[in-house]
């Protein structure tokens, strides 16, 4: 199935992972959101290898991960809004899109040639320890094949990418379970929520005021993670199911559990959206493997982490693209 080495994330393995990254290799590591596939953001060759391993289109820019606010300084310009969000939410599941410094030591491929750069300081202790050990900015997209379901366990990373990466650091399942919230601050007066994620909209708006939605033409070049089909399992997905067919795998929530499914997976029997986010990708993968013909999902509430869950499910259900346009 997979040939990747999978090591428990203890100090020796972390030191080896840092060595591999410094030598231009690819290492998957846990963050609080999902597993990331890391590469040296300063190296054209390493970043090119990362795009190839994920089969990711070159026009989809990457998030640069660093160990703390100070390490962002050489890469991007932070205005007052950025400072406020960084102080409040880093380390944590928030990515800021900022004006890239002209002399930033970053591979052009990392930012897909854009004048902006997406940066984040992850909160997972293993991610932070690795970033501190490697002392380089690290690009890390979700550790899955482009367009498919993200991975929240080391085993899921190995299943998807095991043949093409050097090492997977295993620290168990990711505590948040959906990707970081992406906020574009590159324009002075119009903060844009490019991707709902682990920091809920309400917390950001409390700190920043109202967030704009991306316009149709912003959506495509600026955040291809928002392209219609993404996070997609192999089976078709049907949303807002109030009843279920006998050949469908059901993703239920709370006491919304229509009877008669081929197999039933409850995102959170107690109706807790944080638990549902944590289990979302693992249960999508389990439903995909269940032998059903289709995946039906009950309506998920829109508040809190529900916005990110609904966003991912909508994209999982969207019409599938041709290989070339997959994001
Ligand atoms: O939680 C996360 O953010 C995870 C973990 C591993 O940190 N990473 C992640 O990366 O989700 P990825 O590559 O799967 O998603 C990055 C998103 C994409 O939607 C991409 O288009 C957007 O960020 N992005 C990156 N750079 C951008 C930029 N300069 N302008 C606009 N969007 C950008
Ligand atoms: Mg992704």
């Amino acid at each position: 199935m997979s040939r990747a080495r999978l090591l428990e994330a203890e100090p020796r393995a972390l030191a080896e992972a840092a060595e591999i990254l410094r030598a231009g290799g690819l290492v998957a590591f846990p963050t609080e959101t999902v597993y990331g596939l890391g590469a040296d953001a300063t190296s054209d060759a390493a970043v090119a290898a990362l795009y190839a391993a994920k089969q990711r289109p070159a026009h989809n820019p990457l998030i640069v991960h660093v160990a703390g606010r100070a390490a962002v300084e050489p890469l991007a310009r932070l205005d007052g809004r950025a400072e406020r969000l960084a102080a409040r939410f880093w380390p944590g599941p928030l990515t800021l899109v900022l004006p890239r410094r002209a002399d930033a030591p970053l591979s052009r491929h990392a930012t897909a040639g854009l004048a902006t750069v997406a940066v984040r300081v992850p909160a997972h202790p293993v991610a932070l320890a690795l970033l501190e050990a490697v002392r380089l900015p690290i690009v890390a997209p979700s550790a899955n094949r482009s367009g498919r379901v993200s991975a929240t366990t080391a085993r899921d990373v190995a299943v998807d990418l095991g043949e093409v990466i050097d090492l997977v650091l295993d620290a168990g399942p990711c505590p948040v379970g959906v990707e970081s919230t992406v906020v574009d601050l590159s324009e002075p007066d119009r903060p844009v929520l490019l991707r709902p994620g682990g920091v809920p909209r309400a917390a950001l708006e409390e700190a920043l005021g109202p967030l704009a939605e991306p316009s149709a033409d912003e959506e495509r070049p600026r955040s291809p993670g928002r392209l219609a089909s993404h996070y997609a399992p192999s089976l078709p997905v049907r949303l807002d199911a109030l009843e279920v067919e006998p050949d469908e795998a059901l993703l239920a929530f709370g006491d919304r559990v229509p009877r008669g499914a081929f197999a039933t997976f409850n995102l959170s029997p107690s109706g807790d959206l944080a638990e549902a986010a944590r289990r979302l990708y693992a249960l999508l993968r389990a439903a995909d493997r269940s032998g059903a013909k289709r995946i039906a999902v009950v309506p998920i509430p829109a508040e809190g982490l529900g916005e990110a869950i609904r966003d991912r499910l909508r994209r999982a259900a969207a019409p599938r693209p041709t290989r070339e346009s997959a994001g």
Side-chain angles (χ1 to χ4, degrees), residues 54 56 141-142 144 150 179 195 230-231:
K54 272 205 65 158
R56 181 178 177 109
S142 51
N144 52 278
S150 307
E179 290 84 349
R195 181 177 74 181
H230 211 85
Y231 315 103

Side-chain angles (χ1 to χ4, degrees), residues 285 304 321:
R285 285 168 177 262

